[in-house]
Amino acid sequence: DEDGRQSCEACPAPGVICGGGFLASKTWGLAAGTYTPPISKPGYYMVSHDKAEPCDVRKDSTNACLGGVPFGAEDDQCLSGHTGPLCGSCSPTWTRDQGGMAGGCTSCDEFAGSGWLILFLNVDLIVKAAWALLLGKRSLESLSDLTQIDAIVLRIGMQWMAIASVLAQFQLDEIEVYGWSQAKINAEITAKVSAGETVSEAEKSQQLLFKYPDWFYNIWKTLYTFAGSLPDINVGTNQETLECLAIRHFGGGGTDDQADRTKYLVPLLWWLFYPLLLLFWVFVFCLIIVKVIHPIFMRGVNIGRAKVKEWLVKNGAQPETIDASLTNEGIEKFCHEEKFMERLQDPVMLLELVGPEVVAQVLAEKAWTHGAEDKLKPLGLEEPKQALIDTFTDVLGGGPDSQLVDRLKEGKPKEETATEAAAASNEAAAQDNTKAKNKDEDAFGDPNKVIAKGMVKPEFLVKVAAPWVKLKQVVDQERAEAQPQGGNKDLLVSIPEAVEIQQYVIFGCFRSYKLQDIVVDCVPFFLIAIYSIWDTITKRYLINLQAKSYYMTDSETSLYRPFYVWLTDTRLEVFSGDHVLIGLLASFGLFVWSFLFLLILFLVLRKNKDQLMTAQLFHTFGFFYNGLEPDCYYWEILVKRMDVLIVYIVTYTQFVPDIKAKLIVYLVLSGCAWVLHSGARPFDDRLAGMLDRLEYNALRARFFTFALVQIMLLSDAPEIFNVIVAVLILSVNFQVCIAIVWSWLMEVFGDNSSDESEEAKEGTADQVTDNVPGLDDDNSSDPIMLCLKSLAKKVIKCGILQLVLLVPFIIMGPLSRMRRSIEGTVPLFRWKGWGWGVDILTHRPKDGRQKCLRQFSGWLLRSFYNLSDESQRAFAAEVTGSMTDHLLTNAGFNSMPSGLLDFQFAFPTVLARAQEKFPPPQKLTLPMLLAEANNYVLEVRAAGYAKEATGQASRTRSSSTIDAAFYEDREGVEHAISAEQMNAGLLFLHRLPPAELHDLVSGFLCTLEELWSKTDGGSKKLREMSAAEDEEFEADVREAQVPNPIRIPTTPPLMRPSGH
């Protein structure tokens, strides 16, 4: 060395064969009789007279370095088409994608003509632009539908595959084991040789390698083909295509000894401008959708709208009511159907199309023209026809409350009017409804079922007109008497209305035809498009910087010195000579698109972190934080993307040069990511925390994978043990992939309806198209998909294609319906009144055994979606805690509101009722919510849950057990909600700005308290009941002679909430 000290080295060096003897003839340019020089083994490249370096380039599982030649010999050292040091460069007119373990060189003659190659590049851009639009559309839909999580699941899956795919960059079975294992192996080989056994050089080299199954690489690479972004849509890869175009048209071939940087500059410039080219195609798609497709579509919508309005006016509806109720969205939803105008006779579709008020006018006109006027005369009404319209509106669900429907359902004997009306309904239905299976079923029931069963014949309407109108008068009178004087009327006026969200009338994505609006509305798609290719372009920039260091004798100076070569072309040293410009451009692209893009996104979100839930910001940037807790808005950009970026830097650069060291860093990064997620739990709790569970399981599998690989390397385990561990690793990762794909398929292809009638199942083509994302009539009004539905049906009628497309629906449909059925058996929570706590209702299972397959499927669904009773109770407790935390930290209260528990269980119920009454595109305002709270409190008050609670409290004083509350049919449980509905209320609160959140909570709590305390027969009666119980309790204590008894009050204090 430099100090003159000497040391011993292995002879021969790894990868070198010292054959000994003399050359019999002229070989490798050496004369006959010359001492035979050391030569390289297969898979090694001679870097000096007596040293060799392993080669990484492989062509069809064959190493590009053939071996068998000494240092300085150029002939037959590399496979055909390969040249340069370590055979890491391509010959002229040959191309190779990526460095490291990527495939070998391919001749450009094998590619199509240049015109086709350019077409393929544009097709790749178009496909990825369409993918970005689809991803953006699904994301925008999930912003308005809190139950839709497929876009969020897709984000989790993209992150997971991006990280897991890096393991496919290394051929694990070619990694040498650690030094202590090598020393042990060499000692064993020496012992065998000493014993007279023959050990070949190939056997020696093979024993020093990691004994990992060679099939693992191909399976892993196939499993993670997606790798965070869509794969290239091309004959070869885009890099190979661009290099061949540069060779053909820009003279970028070079020679065997000298590289031409033009061959690499052309693809690099493409990747620098690739995001801008993608944005161009995204904008072109947006222009086509807005300027071409939508006008054509709206022409049909306007024609259909005019025909529908004409039909409605002809059948008694008022034009001004039609204009207010008949929206373009409704026409868009049904205009694609065959015999659209004939289906207007179907009251179910008509009710969904124009709403209850217009349908009530049509039904009232039908009843009026068939004699209802005579039936209503004895009632002495000033405007009998309008009274009939108002009654039908209430019955159809469009009135101020549902009390009329509830009374008709109950028909209690003590309420003669209700009994009369319900009896009239049942009698008329039994006579006129030919579809009814028996007379004993509740012919009235749910108003929608009435209409669905066809009970709209004139005779039925005439017969029920007078009893229903009379009952409505009674209900209205009782309601007026029960309404508190003054009450919360002033309160409703004082609460500001929610800001009206701008209507995106063009397919739910664009506001108008103006170019300025189109550009602004394209911003979400632009951001998602860049984000969707972030993995691809980041790896491309890093590959242009990817280097490898090794020592080699310089052919010019004959000095043995270190070389830092570029792995894409090992004839170039990084940031030296022709690579300087390549390295600078790659670094610029990495900084701008891979780092600065994320930094700007984060800074924008951070600047507006208090307004992220406002309509405009949520529409523009919601893709990046939808599904995350409000305090973790940065998680997707700052934590998860930085995690991927660091992993990519470790993989594709020389910051960590050794493969074994890279694997150690992967393990450390995996542990850090797992710990960070476990501590933060950044995702919200929809579907009982399924998003957090998916991410947690993925991170656990990631850590488990790298940890097992390290353990096997450290221990140099036997091959059979490594095979078992490899299968275990694949099983764990396959389980994560299945969970992610399962979740996405269940959201996209699952049947969300609970209708299992034969009509809902008939027609294979209909079944397929109805479940395609966006084509489901019940869950989407996306006109783009709806207008393609008829075409899709014709295409899907192809037998083979139909069979392929039908598979996910055959599997997911029944499972999704079973999931909905199980969701109908979870514990329910029913608010009993102001300060009276909550009833927990448990489902009582029906008698009878189920088939084994159904039992297993039910267990699987309960486990995957956390639908067991224990999990749901824990979920409810978690939501309660999260809501408390959110209210106390964001609503601006200076003290704990006294009715916080009442709010947590009453508000989600009110919200669900309000959203059902005012479905999209109507926007909920605070007065709407408070008005619905008014109705809800009156109904709960009338139901008497607090009386039952008081009686139960009295009974349980002498008993140590409390009878559990059960329910059998969820439809028969009034005013009860599930933990998932509670979480929906929490997600709604997350979207409110702090000022509106404070006003909503204060107003809601005041509404609950004032109505409960001022309602006639309200808390006064309860206090009297409690006083009587106090006397009873004290008498029991005196009789039992209990010293110092503990009295648990049953009547709560009525306190005005703090902060109001």
Side-chain angles (χ1 to χ4, degrees), residues 549-566:
S549 63
Y550 65 94
Y551 278 82
M552 184 174 179
T553 301
D554 194 329
S555 58
E556 297 180 0
T557 63
S558 298
L559 296 177
Y560 189 67
R561 68 176 182 86
F563 282 78
Y564 296 92
V565 296
W566 182 33

PDB file of all heavy atoms in Angstrom, residues 549-566:
ATOM      1  N   SER A 549     -19.388   1.732  -8.590  1.00  0.00           N
ATOM      2  CA  SER A 549     -17.957   1.986  -8.384  1.00  0.00           C
ATOM      3  C   SER A 549     -17.197   0.665  -8.346  1.00  0.00           C
ATOM      4  O   SER A 549     -17.661  -0.313  -7.759  1.00  0.00           O
ATOM      5  CB  SER A 549     -17.743   2.756  -7.081  1.00  0.00           C
ATOM      6  OG  SER A 549     -18.175   1.999  -5.972  1.00  0.00           O
ATOM      7  N   TYR A 550     -16.037   0.660  -8.981  1.00  0.00           N
ATOM      8  CA  TYR A 550     -15.153  -0.507  -8.944  1.00  0.00           C
ATOM      9  C   TYR A 550     -13.753  -0.048  -9.357  1.00  0.00           C
ATOM     10  O   TYR A 550     -13.578   1.020  -9.961  1.00  0.00           O
ATOM     11  CB  TYR A 550     -15.652  -1.629  -9.861  1.00  0.00           C
ATOM     12  CG  TYR A 550     -15.654  -1.284 -11.332  1.00  0.00           C
ATOM     13  CD1 TYR A 550     -14.557  -1.616 -12.134  1.00  0.00           C
ATOM     14  CD2 TYR A 550     -16.725  -0.634 -11.909  1.00  0.00           C
ATOM     15  CE1 TYR A 550     -14.548  -1.298 -13.477  1.00  0.00           C
ATOM     16  CE2 TYR A 550     -16.730  -0.309 -13.247  1.00  0.00           C
ATOM     17  CZ  TYR A 550     -15.638  -0.636 -14.032  1.00  0.00           C
ATOM     18  OH  TYR A 550     -15.623  -0.303 -15.355  1.00  0.00           O
ATOM     19  N   TYR A 551     -12.753  -0.843  -9.038  1.00  0.00           N
ATOM     20  CA  TYR A 551     -11.379  -0.546  -9.412  1.00  0.00           C
ATOM     21  C   TYR A 551     -11.044  -1.273 -10.704  1.00  0.00           C
ATOM     22  O   TYR A 551     -11.424  -2.431 -10.906  1.00  0.00           O
ATOM     23  CB  TYR A 551     -10.414  -0.974  -8.306  1.00  0.00           C
ATOM     24  CG  TYR A 551     -10.290   0.024  -7.185  1.00  0.00           C
ATOM     25  CD1 TYR A 551     -11.231   0.060  -6.170  1.00  0.00           C
ATOM     26  CD2 TYR A 551      -9.244   0.935  -7.164  1.00  0.00           C
ATOM     27  CE1 TYR A 551     -11.127   0.981  -5.139  1.00  0.00           C
ATOM     28  CE2 TYR A 551      -9.129   1.865  -6.135  1.00  0.00           C
ATOM     29  CZ  TYR A 551     -10.079   1.882  -5.124  1.00  0.00           C
ATOM     30  OH  TYR A 551      -9.969   2.807  -4.121  1.00  0.00           O
ATOM     31  N   MET A 552     -10.303  -0.564 -11.567  1.00  0.00           N
ATOM     32  CA  MET A 552      -9.938  -1.140 -12.850  1.00  0.00           C
ATOM     33  C   MET A 552      -8.638  -0.494 -13.335  1.00  0.00           C
ATOM     34  O   MET A 552      -8.369   0.680 -13.047  1.00  0.00           O
ATOM     35  CB  MET A 552     -11.066  -0.914 -13.868  1.00  0.00           C
ATOM     36  CG  MET A 552     -10.834  -1.543 -15.218  1.00  0.00           C
ATOM     37  SD  MET A 552     -12.282  -1.371 -16.285  1.00  0.00           S
ATOM     38  CE  MET A 552     -11.708  -2.178 -17.775  1.00  0.00           C
ATOM     39  N   THR A 553      -7.862  -1.241 -14.040  1.00  0.00           N
ATOM     40  CA  THR A 553      -6.631  -0.698 -14.620  1.00  0.00           C
ATOM     41  C   THR A 553      -6.967   0.195 -15.794  1.00  0.00           C
ATOM     42  O   THR A 553      -7.615  -0.236 -16.751  1.00  0.00           O
ATOM     43  CB  THR A 553      -5.707  -1.830 -15.078  1.00  0.00           C
ATOM     44  OG1 THR A 553      -5.398  -2.669 -13.963  1.00  0.00           O
ATOM     45  CG2 THR A 553      -4.415  -1.274 -15.662  1.00  0.00           C
ATOM     46  N   ASP A 554      -6.564   1.441 -15.718  1.00  0.00           N
ATOM     47  CA  ASP A 554      -6.836   2.414 -16.780  1.00  0.00           C
ATOM     48  C   ASP A 554      -5.980   2.058 -17.987  1.00  0.00           C
ATOM     49  O   ASP A 554      -4.749   1.957 -17.892  1.00  0.00           O
ATOM     50  CB  ASP A 554      -6.504   3.821 -16.285  1.00  0.00           C
ATOM     51  CG  ASP A 554      -7.072   4.883 -17.212  1.00  0.00           C
ATOM     52  OD1 ASP A 554      -7.181   4.630 -18.419  1.00  0.00           O
ATOM     53  OD2 ASP A 554      -7.413   5.980 -16.711  1.00  0.00           O
ATOM     54  N   SER A 555      -6.638   1.870 -19.138  1.00  0.00           N
ATOM     55  CA  SER A 555      -5.923   1.472 -20.348  1.00  0.00           C
ATOM     56  C   SER A 555      -4.991   2.566 -20.853  1.00  0.00           C
ATOM     57  O   SER A 555      -4.028   2.282 -21.568  1.00  0.00           O
ATOM     58  CB  SER A 555      -6.920   1.098 -21.453  1.00  0.00           C
ATOM     59  OG  SER A 555      -7.775   2.205 -21.727  1.00  0.00           O
ATOM     60  N   GLU A 556      -5.247   3.814 -20.494  1.00  0.00           N
ATOM     61  CA  GLU A 556      -4.412   4.914 -20.967  1.00  0.00           C
ATOM     62  C   GLU A 556      -3.214   5.151 -20.052  1.00  0.00           C
ATOM     63  O   GLU A 556      -2.100   5.394 -20.517  1.00  0.00           O
ATOM     64  CB  GLU A 556      -5.243   6.192 -21.084  1.00  0.00           C
ATOM     65  CG  GLU A 556      -6.363   6.091 -22.110  1.00  0.00           C
ATOM     66  CD  GLU A 556      -7.167   7.395 -22.200  1.00  0.00           C
ATOM     67  OE1 GLU A 556      -6.830   8.342 -21.452  1.00  0.00           O
ATOM     68  OE2 GLU A 556      -8.093   7.447 -23.024  1.00  0.00           O
ATOM     69  N   THR A 557      -3.435   5.126 -18.739  1.00  0.00           N
ATOM     70  CA  THR A 557      -2.355   5.428 -17.800  1.00  0.00           C
ATOM     71  C   THR A 557      -1.775   4.185 -17.158  1.00  0.00           C
ATOM     72  O   THR A 557      -0.762   4.271 -16.462  1.00  0.00           O
ATOM     73  CB  THR A 557      -2.880   6.352 -16.691  1.00  0.00           C
ATOM     74  OG1 THR A 557      -3.913   5.667 -15.959  1.00  0.00           O
ATOM     75  CG2 THR A 557      -3.451   7.639 -17.292  1.00  0.00           C
ATOM     76  N   SER A 558      -2.434   3.022 -17.360  1.00  0.00           N
ATOM     77  CA  SER A 558      -2.010   1.753 -16.748  1.00  0.00           C
ATOM     78  C   SER A 558      -2.048   1.799 -15.234  1.00  0.00           C
ATOM     79  O   SER A 558      -1.403   0.984 -14.560  1.00  0.00           O
ATOM     80  CB  SER A 558      -0.592   1.373 -17.218  1.00  0.00           C
ATOM     81  OG  SER A 558      -0.565   1.187 -18.615  1.00  0.00           O
ATOM     82  N   LEU A 559      -2.797   2.763 -14.677  1.00  0.00           N
ATOM     83  CA  LEU A 559      -2.949   2.852 -13.230  1.00  0.00           C
ATOM     84  C   LEU A 559      -4.206   2.109 -12.800  1.00  0.00           C
ATOM     85  O   LEU A 559      -5.237   2.156 -13.478  1.00  0.00           O
ATOM     86  CB  LEU A 559      -3.034   4.322 -12.791  1.00  0.00           C
ATOM     87  CG  LEU A 559      -1.789   5.178 -13.042  1.00  0.00           C
ATOM     88  CD1 LEU A 559      -2.061   6.623 -12.620  1.00  0.00           C
ATOM     89  CD2 LEU A 559      -0.588   4.623 -12.270  1.00  0.00           C
ATOM     90  N   TYR A 560      -4.084   1.448 -11.690  1.00  0.00           N
ATOM     91  CA  TYR A 560      -5.237   0.749 -11.104  1.00  0.00           C
ATOM     92  C   TYR A 560      -5.977   1.750 -10.219  1.00  0.00           C
ATOM     93  O   TYR A 560      -5.527   2.067  -9.107  1.00  0.00           O
ATOM     94  CB  TYR A 560      -4.751  -0.456 -10.306  1.00  0.00           C
ATOM     95  CG  TYR A 560      -5.856  -1.367  -9.828  1.00  0.00           C
ATOM     96  CD1 TYR A 560      -6.616  -2.103 -10.729  1.00  0.00           C
ATOM     97  CD2 TYR A 560      -6.110  -1.514  -8.459  1.00  0.00           C
ATOM     98  CE1 TYR A 560      -7.608  -2.958 -10.280  1.00  0.00           C
ATOM     99  CE2 TYR A 560      -7.105  -2.359  -8.001  1.00  0.00           C
ATOM    100  CZ  TYR A 560      -7.863  -3.076  -8.919  1.00  0.00           C
ATOM    101  OH  TYR A 560      -8.855  -3.914  -8.478  1.00  0.00           O
ATOM    102  N   ARG A 561      -7.104   2.273 -10.701  1.00  0.00           N
ATOM    103  CA  ARG A 561      -7.797   3.364 -10.007  1.00  0.00           C
ATOM    104  C   ARG A 561      -9.297   3.101  -9.946  1.00  0.00           C
ATOM    105  O   ARG A 561      -9.828   2.260 -10.689  1.00  0.00           O
ATOM    106  CB  ARG A 561      -7.531   4.688 -10.709  1.00  0.00           C
ATOM    107  CG  ARG A 561      -8.162   4.810 -12.102  1.00  0.00           C
ATOM    108  CD  ARG A 561      -7.939   6.177 -12.704  1.00  0.00           C
ATOM    109  NE  ARG A 561      -8.574   6.342 -14.003  1.00  0.00           N
ATOM    110  CZ  ARG A 561      -9.852   6.721 -14.178  1.00  0.00           C
ATOM    111  NH1 ARG A 561     -10.619   6.939 -13.114  1.00  0.00           N
ATOM    112  NH2 ARG A 561     -10.354   6.861 -15.402  1.00  0.00           N
ATOM    113  N   PRO A 562      -9.999   3.831  -9.072  1.00  0.00           N
ATOM    114  CA  PRO A 562     -11.460   3.632  -8.995  1.00  0.00           C
ATOM    115  C   PRO A 562     -12.180   4.275 -10.172  1.00  0.00           C
ATOM    116  O   PRO A 562     -11.802   5.354 -10.638  1.00  0.00           O
ATOM    117  CB  PRO A 562     -11.830   4.306  -7.672  1.00  0.00           C
ATOM    118  CG  PRO A 562     -10.770   5.341  -7.463  1.00  0.00           C
ATOM    119  CD  PRO A 562      -9.514   4.763  -8.044  1.00  0.00           C
ATOM    120  N   PHE A 563     -13.189   3.618 -10.634  1.00  0.00           N
ATOM    121  CA  PHE A 563     -14.067   4.134 -11.685  1.00  0.00           C
ATOM    122  C   PHE A 563     -15.486   4.225 -11.121  1.00  0.00           C
ATOM    123  O   PHE A 563     -15.939   3.330 -10.401  1.00  0.00           O
ATOM    124  CB  PHE A 563     -14.057   3.206 -12.901  1.00  0.00           C
ATOM    125  CG  PHE A 563     -12.858   3.343 -13.790  1.00  0.00           C
ATOM    126  CD1 PHE A 563     -11.644   2.763 -13.433  1.00  0.00           C
ATOM    127  CD2 PHE A 563     -12.937   4.045 -14.971  1.00  0.00           C
ATOM    128  CE1 PHE A 563     -10.534   2.890 -14.232  1.00  0.00           C
ATOM    129  CE2 PHE A 563     -11.831   4.174 -15.805  1.00  0.00           C
ATOM    130  CZ  PHE A 563     -10.619   3.595 -15.432  1.00  0.00           C
ATOM    131  N   TYR A 564     -16.190   5.311 -11.458  1.00  0.00           N
ATOM    132  CA  TYR A 564     -17.604   5.465 -11.100  1.00  0.00           C
ATOM    133  C   TYR A 564     -18.379   5.544 -12.414  1.00  0.00           C
ATOM    134  O   TYR A 564     -18.520   6.627 -12.997  1.00  0.00           O
ATOM    135  CB  TYR A 564     -17.818   6.715 -10.244  1.00  0.00           C
ATOM    136  CG  TYR A 564     -17.116   6.661  -8.909  1.00  0.00           C
ATOM    137  CD1 TYR A 564     -15.829   7.171  -8.750  1.00  0.00           C
ATOM    138  CD2 TYR A 564     -17.734   6.069  -7.810  1.00  0.00           C
ATOM    139  CE1 TYR A 564     -15.177   7.102  -7.536  1.00  0.00           C
ATOM    140  CE2 TYR A 564     -17.093   5.994  -6.587  1.00  0.00           C
ATOM    141  CZ  TYR A 564     -15.810   6.515  -6.454  1.00  0.00           C
ATOM    142  OH  TYR A 564     -15.161   6.437  -5.249  1.00  0.00           O
ATOM    143  N   VAL A 565     -18.827   4.394 -12.880  1.00  0.00           N
ATOM    144  CA  VAL A 565     -19.421   4.323 -14.211  1.00  0.00           C
ATOM    145  C   VAL A 565     -20.942   4.411 -14.121  1.00  0.00           C
ATOM    146  O   VAL A 565     -21.556   4.064 -13.113  1.00  0.00           O
ATOM    147  CB  VAL A 565     -19.022   3.018 -14.919  1.00  0.00           C
ATOM    148  CG1 VAL A 565     -17.522   2.976 -15.143  1.00  0.00           C
ATOM    149  CG2 VAL A 565     -19.480   1.808 -14.135  1.00  0.00           C
ATOM    150  N   TRP A 566     -21.523   4.890 -15.193  1.00  0.00           N
ATOM    151  CA  TRP A 566     -22.974   5.004 -15.320  1.00  0.00           C
ATOM    152  C   TRP A 566     -23.501   3.638 -15.743  1.00  0.00           C
ATOM    153  O   TRP A 566     -23.072   3.079 -16.741  1.00  0.00           O
ATOM    154  CB  TRP A 566     -23.289   6.076 -16.350  1.00  0.00           C
ATOM    155  CG  TRP A 566     -24.745   6.342 -16.559  1.00  0.00           C
ATOM    156  CD1 TRP A 566     -25.734   6.272 -15.646  1.00  0.00           C
ATOM    157  CD2 TRP A 566     -25.362   6.725 -17.791  1.00  0.00           C
ATOM    158  NE1 TRP A 566     -26.944   6.596 -16.199  1.00  0.00           N
ATOM    159  CE2 TRP A 566     -26.747   6.884 -17.526  1.00  0.00           C
ATOM    160  CE3 TRP A 566     -24.895   6.967 -19.077  1.00  0.00           C
ATOM    161  CZ2 TRP A 566     -27.660   7.262 -18.507  1.00  0.00           C
ATOM    162  CZ3 TRP A 566     -25.791   7.355 -20.058  1.00  0.00           C
ATOM    163  CH2 TRP A 566     -27.163   7.503 -19.772  1.00  0.00           C
TER     164      TRP A 566
END
